Structure formats: C-alpha cells, structure tokens
Amino acid sequence: MFKNHFTLIYHGAHLEISFVTSNPGKFSEAEKILNKYGINIVHAPLHLEEKRSESVEEIAEGCALRAYSALRKPLFVEDSGLFVPALNGFPGTYSAWVLKKLGNEGILRLLDGKERAAEFRCAIAFTEGKDVRLFTGSVRGRVSGSIRGNGGFGYDPVFIPEGEEKTFAEAPSLKDSLSHRARALQKFGESLSRK
Ligand code: ITT
C-alpha cells in the first residue's frame, strides 16, 4: 500500500522507517536532512486524527502510537506549528486548521498593530512499538509585514527567522539548517546513526 519507506542500517540490519504524514512539504524536508545521516526516507501518507492539546510533543506522541497500531512497523510522525506570543500562542497546534480557514492574509490581519515575534515548534515522535522517543526543535523569528516568496509551504511566506531579512519562502534553503523541523531532525538523525 505504501511505496515509500526509510531504509537504515541499524545494528547491521536494515531497519525500515516510515514517515507518517499527509504533508508533502514536511516529507521532502525530512528526506533531505535524514539522507545526510545515511537514512533513506520515503512516505506513508496517512492522515492521523490528532488529540486536542496545546503541546506539539503530546500530539506527536499520541499520533505515533495510533499510527503504530495501524502500520505495526517502525515509524515517526511530526507535529509542528507557529506560536505567536502576542496572540497567546495562537495558532500553535491549530496551525494547519487556521491556515486553511484564514490563510496567511488572516494571520497578517490578526497581527496588525501587534508585536510580531513568533516561534515555530516541532516535535518528532519515533516508535518501534514499545516506547515513543521525542525529538524537538524550534526557531524564533517574526511575522513579516506582507506575504513574500514562493518556496516552502504553510506559513513560510510570512515567517522571517531571527537574524535574517528574508522569509522562509524567499530563502527556503535557510530551512535546511535552522528551521524547527531541521533542528528536531538533526537530533533524530544523530540519535539513530549513533545506534
Ligand atoms: P500531518 O499529516 O503531518 O499532521 P499537517 O500539515 O496537518 O500534516 P500539523 O498538524 O503538524 O501538520 O500542522 C502543522 C501546520 O503548521 C502545517 O500544516 C503548516 O501550516 C504549519 N507549519 C508547520 N511547519 C511549517 C513550516 O516549516 N513552514 C511553514 N508552515 C509550517
């Protein structure tokens, strides 16, 4: 059913790891970074129901366990979102839904006249069936004044990472080194390649 899987040499044997996500943008970023650790990845495009929580860690953990019940093979999932302190953390773990309903234009409207600091957070949850291991990453920055750039996905056209002037969508290569996802994936890749 799923054509794409990670293949990793793990204790001298092949370990197949599926990345369960409905988001192709997440998948291609993960593929690029994990390949650097010798982990070949591909895709289990399931959409998992998420429990309500304000914590990306809690959501990722629950999704990993649900995905494992369905697939019964080593896998990881990832939950992420944009957290804006001036909006009390909104859209946070509701980021996917809010983007669908309001778009980036809506986020810009909500922030009109407000402090524009923002943070992307990501939690990766990996399981081989017994326990769940979490790897987190975040990046601070600000929401731009307008929608800029065509690269990336989601909120990339309105997010400028700290110390930079371009949005992630204008300079998608920035994401490989300093995005919330890149930082969590680096920890994950290092941990798996140490085994
Ligand atoms: P899953 O199937 O993996 O859950 P999803 O897109 O629904 O895919 P989430 O529930 O984790 O993923 O929602 C996170 C949303 O936050 C995502 O849809 C984007 O709108 C936004 N987001 C997360 N990471 C982002 C990034 O690197 N750049 C831009 N927007 C991002």
Coordinates of all heavy atoms in Angstrom, one line a residue, residues 99-171:
L99 N -4.6 27.9 9.0 CA -4.1 28.3 7.7 C -5.2 28.0 6.6 O -5.4 28.8 5.7 CB -2.8 27.6 7.3 CG -2.1 28.1 6.1 CD1 -1.5 29.4 6.4 CD2 -1.1 27.1 5.6
K100 N -5.9 26.9 6.8 CA -6.9 26.5 5.9 C -8.1 27.6 5.9 O -8.6 28.0 4.9 CB -7.5 25.1 6.2 CG -7.8 24.3 5.0 CD -8.4 23.0 5.3 CE -7.3 22.0 6.0 NZ -8.0 20.8 6.6
K101 N -8.4 28.0 7.2 CA -9.6 28.9 7.3 C -9.2 30.4 7.0 O -10.1 31.1 6.5 CB -10.1 28.8 8.8 CG -10.7 27.5 9.1 CD -12.0 27.2 8.5 CE -12.6 25.9 8.8 NZ -13.7 25.5 7.9
L102 N -8.1 30.8 7.5 CA -7.8 32.3 7.4 C -6.7 32.6 6.4 O -6.6 33.7 5.9 CB -7.3 32.8 8.8 CG -8.2 32.6 10.0 CD1 -7.6 33.3 11.2 CD2 -9.6 33.3 9.7
G103 N -5.8 31.6 6.1 CA -4.7 31.9 5.2 C -3.7 32.8 5.8 O -3.9 33.3 6.9
N104 N -2.6 33.0 5.1 CA -1.6 33.9 5.7 C -2.1 35.3 5.8 O -1.7 36.1 6.7 CB -0.3 33.8 4.8 CG 0.5 32.6 5.1 OD1 0.7 32.3 6.3 ND2 1.0 31.9 4.1
E105 N -3.0 35.7 4.9 CA -3.6 37.1 4.9 C -4.3 37.3 6.3 O -4.2 38.3 6.9 CB -4.7 37.3 3.8 CG -4.2 37.1 2.4 CD -4.1 35.7 1.9 OE1 -4.4 34.8 2.7 OE2 -3.8 35.5 0.8
G106 N -5.0 36.2 6.7 CA -5.7 36.3 8.0 C -4.7 36.5 9.2 O -5.0 37.3 10.1
I107 N -3.6 35.8 9.1 CA -2.6 36.0 10.2 C -2.1 37.4 10.2 O -1.9 38.0 11.3 CB -1.5 34.9 10.0 CG1 -2.0 33.5 10.3 CG2 -0.2 35.3 10.9 CD1 -2.4 33.3 11.8
L108 N -1.8 37.9 9.0 CA -1.3 39.3 9.0 C -2.3 40.3 9.5 O -2.0 41.2 10.2 CB -0.9 39.7 7.5 CG 0.2 38.9 6.9 CD1 0.5 39.4 5.5 CD2 1.5 39.0 7.7
R109 N -3.6 40.0 9.2 CA -4.6 40.9 9.7 C -4.7 40.8 11.3 O -4.8 41.9 11.9 CB -6.0 40.5 9.2 CG -6.4 41.3 7.9 CD -7.8 41.1 7.5 NE -8.3 39.8 7.4 CZ -8.2 39.0 6.3 NH1 -7.7 39.5 5.2 NH2 -8.7 37.8 6.3
L110 N -4.6 39.6 11.8 CA -4.7 39.5 13.3 C -3.6 40.2 14.0 O -3.7 40.6 15.1 CB -4.6 38.0 13.6 CG -5.8 37.1 13.4 CD1 -5.6 35.7 13.7 CD2 -7.0 37.6 14.3
L111 N -2.4 40.3 13.2 CA -1.2 40.9 13.9 C -1.1 42.4 13.6 O -0.1 43.0 14.1 CB 0.0 40.2 13.4 CG 0.3 38.9 14.2 CD1 1.5 38.2 13.7 CD2 0.5 39.2 15.7
D112 N -2.1 42.9 12.9 CA -2.0 44.4 12.6 C -1.9 45.2 13.9 O -2.7 45.0 14.8 CB -3.3 44.8 11.9 CG -3.0 46.0 11.1 OD1 -1.9 46.3 10.8 OD2 -4.0 46.7 10.7
G113 N -0.8 45.9 14.0 CA -0.6 46.8 15.2 C -0.1 46.0 16.5 O 0.0 46.6 17.5
K114 N 0.2 44.7 16.3 CA 0.7 43.9 17.5 C 2.2 43.6 17.3 O 2.7 43.7 16.2 CB -0.1 42.6 17.5 CG -1.6 42.8 17.8 CD -2.1 41.6 18.5 CE -3.5 41.9 19.2 NZ -4.6 42.2 18.3
E115 N 2.7 43.2 18.4 CA 4.1 42.7 18.5 C 4.2 41.4 17.6 O 3.4 40.5 17.6 CB 4.4 42.3 19.9 CG 5.7 41.6 20.2 CD 6.9 42.3 19.7 OE1 7.0 43.6 19.9 OE2 7.7 41.6 19.0
R116 N 5.2 41.4 16.7 CA 5.2 40.3 15.6 C 6.2 39.1 15.9 O 6.3 38.3 15.0 CB 5.6 41.0 14.3 CG 4.8 42.2 14.0 CD 5.0 42.7 12.6 NE 4.3 42.0 11.6 CZ 3.0 42.2 11.2 NH1 2.3 43.1 11.8 NH2 2.5 41.5 10.3
A117 N 6.7 39.1 17.1 CA 7.6 37.9 17.4 C 6.8 36.7 17.3 O 5.6 36.6 17.6 CB 8.1 38.1 18.9
A118 N 7.5 35.6 16.8 CA 6.8 34.3 16.6 C 7.8 33.2 16.7 O 9.0 33.4 16.6 CB 6.2 34.3 15.2
E119 N 7.3 32.0 16.9 CA 8.3 30.8 17.0 C 7.6 29.6 16.4 O 6.4 29.3 16.6 CB 8.5 30.5 18.5 CG 9.5 29.4 18.7 CD 9.7 29.1 20.2 OE1 8.7 28.8 20.9 OE2 10.8 29.2 20.7
F120 N 8.3 28.9 15.5 CA 7.9 27.6 15.0 C 8.4 26.6 16.0 O 9.6 26.6 16.4 CB 8.5 27.3 13.7 CG 7.8 27.8 12.5 CD1 8.3 28.6 11.5 CD2 6.5 27.3 12.3 CE1 7.6 29.0 10.4 CE2 5.8 27.7 11.1 CZ 6.3 28.5 10.2
R121 N 7.5 25.6 16.3 CA 8.0 24.5 17.1 C 7.7 23.2 16.4 O 6.6 23.1 15.7 CB 7.2 24.4 18.5 CG 7.6 25.5 19.4 CD 6.8 25.4 20.7 NE 6.8 26.7 21.3 CZ 5.9 27.1 22.2 NH1 4.9 26.4 22.5 NH2 6.0 28.4 22.7
C122 N 8.5 22.2 16.7 CA 8.3 20.9 16.0 C 8.6 19.8 17.0 O 9.6 19.9 17.8 CB 9.3 20.8 14.9 SG 9.5 19.1 14.2
A123 N 7.8 18.7 17.1 CA 8.2 17.5 17.8 C 8.0 16.3 16.9 O 7.0 16.1 16.3 CB 7.2 17.4 19.0
I124 N 9.1 15.5 16.9 CA 9.1 14.3 16.2 C 8.9 13.2 17.2 O 9.6 13.2 18.2 CB 10.5 14.1 15.4 CG1 10.6 15.1 14.3 CG2 10.7 12.6 15.0 CD1 12.0 15.1 13.7
A125 N 8.1 12.2 16.9 CA 7.8 11.1 17.8 C 8.1 9.8 17.0 O 7.5 9.6 16.0 CB 6.4 11.1 18.3
F126 N 9.1 9.1 17.5 CA 9.6 7.8 16.8 C 9.2 6.6 17.7 O 9.4 6.7 18.9 CB 11.1 7.9 16.6 CG 11.8 6.6 16.2 CD1 11.5 6.1 14.9 CD2 12.7 6.0 17.0 CE1 12.1 4.9 14.5 CE2 13.3 4.8 16.6 CZ 13.0 4.3 15.4
T127 N 8.7 5.6 17.1 CA 8.4 4.4 17.8 C 8.7 3.1 17.0 O 8.5 3.1 15.8 CB 7.0 4.4 18.4 OG1 6.8 3.2 19.2 CG2 5.9 4.3 17.3
E128 N 9.1 2.1 17.7 CA 9.3 0.8 17.1 C 8.2 -0.1 17.8 O 8.4 -1.3 17.7 CB 10.7 0.3 17.3 CG 11.7 1.1 16.6 CD 13.1 0.7 16.9 OE1 13.6 1.1 18.0 OE2 13.7 -0.1 16.1
G129 N 7.3 0.5 18.5 CA 6.2 -0.4 19.1 C 6.2 -0.3 20.6 O 5.1 -0.4 21.2
K130 N 7.4 -0.2 21.2 CA 7.3 -0.3 22.7 C 7.1 1.1 23.3 O 6.0 1.5 23.6 CB 8.6 -0.9 23.2 CG 8.6 -2.4 23.0 CD 9.9 -3.0 23.6 CE 10.5 -3.9 22.5 NZ 11.8 -3.5 22.0
D131 N 8.2 1.9 23.3 CA 8.1 3.3 23.8 C 8.1 4.3 22.6 O 8.3 3.9 21.5 CB 9.1 3.6 24.8 CG 10.5 3.2 24.3 OD1 10.6 2.8 23.1 OD2 11.5 3.3 25.1
V132 N 7.9 5.5 23.0 CA 8.0 6.6 22.0 C 9.1 7.5 22.4 O 9.2 7.9 23.5 CB 6.7 7.4 22.0 CG1 6.8 8.6 21.0 CG2 5.5 6.5 21.6
R133 N 10.0 7.8 21.4 CA 11.1 8.8 21.7 C 10.8 10.1 21.0 O 10.4 10.1 19.8 CB 12.4 8.2 21.2 CG 12.8 7.0 22.1 CD 13.9 6.2 21.5 NE 15.1 7.1 21.3 CZ 16.0 6.8 20.5 NH1 16.0 5.7 19.7 NH2 17.1 7.6 20.4
L134 N 11.0 11.2 21.7 CA 10.6 12.5 21.2 C 11.9 13.3 20.9 O 12.9 13.3 21.7 CB 9.8 13.3 22.2 CG 8.4 12.8 22.5 CD1 7.8 13.5 23.7 CD2 7.5 13.1 21.2
F135 N 11.9 14.1 19.8 CA 13.0 14.9 19.4 C 12.3 16.3 19.1 O 11.4 16.3 18.2 CB 13.7 14.4 18.2 CG 14.2 13.0 18.5 CD1 13.4 11.9 18.2 CD2 15.5 12.8 19.0 CE1 13.9 10.6 18.5 CE2 16.0 11.5 19.2 CZ 15.2 10.4 19.0
T136 N 12.8 17.4 19.7 CA 12.1 18.6 19.5 C 13.1 19.7 18.9 O 14.3 19.6 19.0 CB 11.6 19.2 20.8 OG1 12.7 19.4 21.7 CG2 10.5 18.3 21.4
G137 N 12.5 20.7 18.2 CA 13.3 21.8 17.7 C 12.4 23.0 17.6 O 11.2 22.9 17.5
S138 N 13.0 24.2 17.7 CA 12.2 25.4 17.5 C 13.1 26.5 16.8 O 14.3 26.4 16.8 CB 11.7 25.9 18.9 OG 12.8 26.2 19.7
V139 N 12.5 27.4 16.3 CA 13.2 28.6 15.7 C 12.4 29.8 16.0 O 11.2 29.9 15.8 CB 13.4 28.4 14.2 CG1 12.2 28.2 13.4 CG2 14.2 29.6 13.6
R140 N 13.1 30.8 16.5 CA 12.4 32.1 16.8 C 12.6 33.0 15.6 O 13.5 32.9 14.8 CB 13.1 32.8 18.0 CG 12.8 32.1 19.2 CD 13.1 33.0 20.4 NE 12.7 32.2 21.6 CZ 13.3 32.4 22.8 NH1 14.3 33.3 22.9 NH2 13.0 31.7 23.8
G141 N 11.6 34.0 15.5 CA 11.7 34.9 14.4 C 10.6 35.9 14.5 O 10.1 36.2 15.6
R142 N 10.1 36.4 13.4 CA 9.0 37.3 13.4 C 8.1 37.1 12.2 O 8.5 36.6 11.2 CB 9.5 38.8 13.5 CG 10.2 39.2 12.3 CD 10.8 40.7 12.5 NE 11.2 41.3 11.2 CZ 12.4 41.1 10.6 NH1 13.3 40.2 11.1 NH2 12.7 41.7 9.5
V143 N 6.9 37.6 12.3 CA 5.9 37.6 11.2 C 6.2 38.8 10.4 O 6.2 39.9 10.9 CB 4.5 37.5 11.7 CG1 3.5 37.5 10.5 CG2 4.3 36.2 12.5
S144 N 6.3 38.6 9.1 CA 6.6 39.7 8.1 C 5.4 40.6 8.0 O 4.3 40.3 8.4 CB 7.0 39.2 6.8 OG 6.0 38.3 6.3
G145 N 5.6 41.8 7.4 CA 4.5 42.7 7.2 C 3.6 42.4 6.0 O 2.5 42.8 5.8
S146 N 4.2 41.5 5.1 CA 3.4 41.1 3.9 C 3.8 39.7 3.5 O 4.8 39.2 4.0 CB 3.7 42.1 2.7 OG 5.1 42.0 2.5
I147 N 3.1 39.1 2.6 CA 3.3 37.8 2.1 C 4.4 37.8 1.1 O 4.3 38.6 0.1 CB 2.0 37.2 1.5 CG1 1.0 37.0 2.6 CG2 2.3 35.9 0.8 CD1 -0.4 36.6 2.2
R148 N 5.5 37.1 1.3 CA 6.7 37.2 0.4 C 7.3 35.9 0.1 O 7.6 35.1 1.0 CB 7.8 38.1 1.1 CG 7.4 39.5 1.2 CD 8.2 40.4 2.0 NE 9.5 39.9 2.4 CZ 10.2 40.3 3.5 NH1 9.7 41.3 4.2 NH2 11.4 39.8 3.7
G149 N 7.5 35.6 -1.2 CA 8.2 34.4 -1.6 C 7.3 33.2 -2.0 O 6.1 33.2 -1.6
N150 N 7.8 32.3 -2.8 CA 7.0 31.2 -3.4 C 7.5 29.8 -2.9 O 6.9 28.8 -3.2 CB 7.1 31.2 -4.9 CG 6.6 32.5 -5.4 OD1 5.5 32.9 -5.1 ND2 7.4 33.1 -6.3
G151 N 8.6 29.8 -2.1 CA 9.1 28.5 -1.7 C 8.4 27.9 -0.5 O 7.5 28.6 0.1
G152 N 8.8 26.7 -0.1 CA 8.3 26.2 1.2 C 6.8 25.9 1.1 O 6.2 25.6 0.1
F153 N 6.2 26.0 2.3 CA 4.8 25.7 2.4 C 4.2 26.4 3.6 O 5.0 27.1 4.4 CB 4.5 24.1 2.5 CG 5.1 23.5 3.8 CD1 4.3 23.4 4.9 CD2 6.4 23.1 3.8 CE1 4.8 22.8 6.1 CE2 6.9 22.5 5.0 CZ 6.1 22.4 6.1
G154 N 2.9 26.3 3.8 CA 2.3 26.8 5.1 C 2.6 28.3 5.3 O 2.4 29.1 4.5
Y155 N 3.1 28.6 6.5 CA 3.4 29.9 6.9 C 4.7 30.5 6.4 O 5.1 31.6 6.8 CB 3.3 30.0 8.5 CG 1.9 29.7 9.0 CD1 1.6 28.4 9.4 CD2 1.0 30.7 9.1 CE1 0.4 28.1 10.0 CE2 -0.3 30.4 9.6 CZ -0.6 29.1 10.0 OH -1.8 28.9 10.5
D156 N 5.4 29.7 5.6 CA 6.8 30.2 5.2 C 6.8 31.6 4.6 O 7.7 32.3 4.7 CB 7.4 29.1 4.2 CG 7.9 27.9 4.9 OD1 8.1 28.0 6.2 OD2 8.1 26.9 4.3
P157 N 5.7 31.9 3.8 CA 5.8 33.3 3.2 C 5.6 34.4 4.2 O 5.8 35.6 3.8 CB 4.6 33.3 2.2 CG 4.2 31.8 2.0 CD 4.6 31.1 3.3
V158 N 5.3 34.1 5.5 CA 5.2 35.2 6.4 C 6.1 35.1 7.6 O 6.0 35.9 8.6 CB 3.7 35.4 6.9 CG1 2.8 35.8 5.8 CG2 3.2 34.2 7.7
F159 N 7.1 34.1 7.6 CA 8.0 33.9 8.7 C 9.4 34.3 8.3 O 10.0 33.7 7.4 CB 7.9 32.5 9.2 CG 8.7 32.3 10.5 CD1 8.2 32.6 11.7 CD2 10.0 31.8 10.4 CE1 9.0 32.4 12.9 CE2 10.8 31.6 11.5 CZ 10.3 31.9 12.8
I160 N 10.0 35.2 9.1 CA 11.4 35.6 9.0 C 12.2 35.1 10.2 O 11.9 35.6 11.3 CB 11.5 37.1 8.9 CG1 10.7 37.7 7.7 CG2 13.0 37.6 8.7 CD1 10.6 39.2 7.6
P161 N 13.1 34.2 10.0 CA 13.9 33.7 11.2 C 14.8 34.8 11.8 O 15.2 35.7 11.0 CB 14.7 32.5 10.6 CG 14.7 32.7 9.2 CD 13.5 33.5 8.8
E162 N 15.0 34.7 13.1 CA 15.9 35.7 13.8 C 17.2 35.9 13.0 O 17.8 34.9 12.6 CB 16.2 35.1 15.2 CG 16.2 36.1 16.3 CD 16.1 35.4 17.6 OE1 16.9 34.4 17.9 OE2 15.3 35.8 18.4
G163 N 17.7 37.1 12.9 CA 18.9 37.4 12.3 C 18.9 37.4 10.8 O 19.9 37.6 10.1
E164 N 17.7 37.2 10.2 CA 17.6 37.2 8.7 C 16.6 38.3 8.3 O 15.9 38.8 9.1 CB 17.1 35.8 8.2 CG 17.9 34.6 8.6 CD 19.3 34.6 7.9 OE1 19.4 35.2 6.9 OE2 20.2 34.0 8.5
E165 N 16.6 38.6 7.0 CA 15.7 39.6 6.4 C 14.7 38.9 5.5 O 13.6 39.5 5.2 CB 16.5 40.7 5.7 CG 17.3 41.6 6.6 CD 16.5 42.2 7.7 OE1 15.3 42.6 7.4 OE2 17.0 42.3 8.8
K166 N 15.0 37.7 5.0 CA 14.1 37.1 4.1 C 13.1 36.1 4.8 O 13.5 35.5 5.8 CB 14.9 36.3 3.0 CG 15.6 37.3 2.1 CD 16.3 36.5 1.0 CE 16.8 37.5 -0.1 NZ 17.6 36.9 -1.1
T167 N 12.0 35.9 4.2 CA 11.1 34.9 4.7 C 11.6 33.5 4.3 O 12.4 33.4 3.4 CB 9.6 35.0 4.2 OG1 9.7 34.8 2.8 CG2 9.0 36.4 4.5
F168 N 11.1 32.5 5.0 CA 11.5 31.1 4.6 C 11.1 30.8 3.2 O 11.8 30.1 2.5 CB 10.8 30.1 5.6 CG 11.6 29.8 6.8 CD1 10.9 29.2 7.9 CD2 12.9 29.9 6.9 CE1 11.6 28.9 9.1 CE2 13.6 29.5 8.0 CZ 13.0 29.0 9.1
A169 N 10.0 31.4 2.7 CA 9.5 31.2 1.4 C 10.4 31.9 0.3 O 10.5 31.4 -0.8 CB 8.1 31.6 1.2
E170 N 11.1 33.0 0.7 CA 12.0 33.7 -0.2 C 13.4 33.0 -0.2 O 14.1 33.0 -1.2 CB 12.2 35.1 0.3 CG 11.0 36.0 0.1 CD 11.3 37.4 0.6 OE1 11.5 37.5 1.8 OE2 11.1 38.4 -0.2
A171 N 13.7 32.3 0.9 CA 15.0 31.6 1.0 C 14.8 30.3 1.7 O 15.2 30.0 2.8 CB 16.0 32.5 1.9

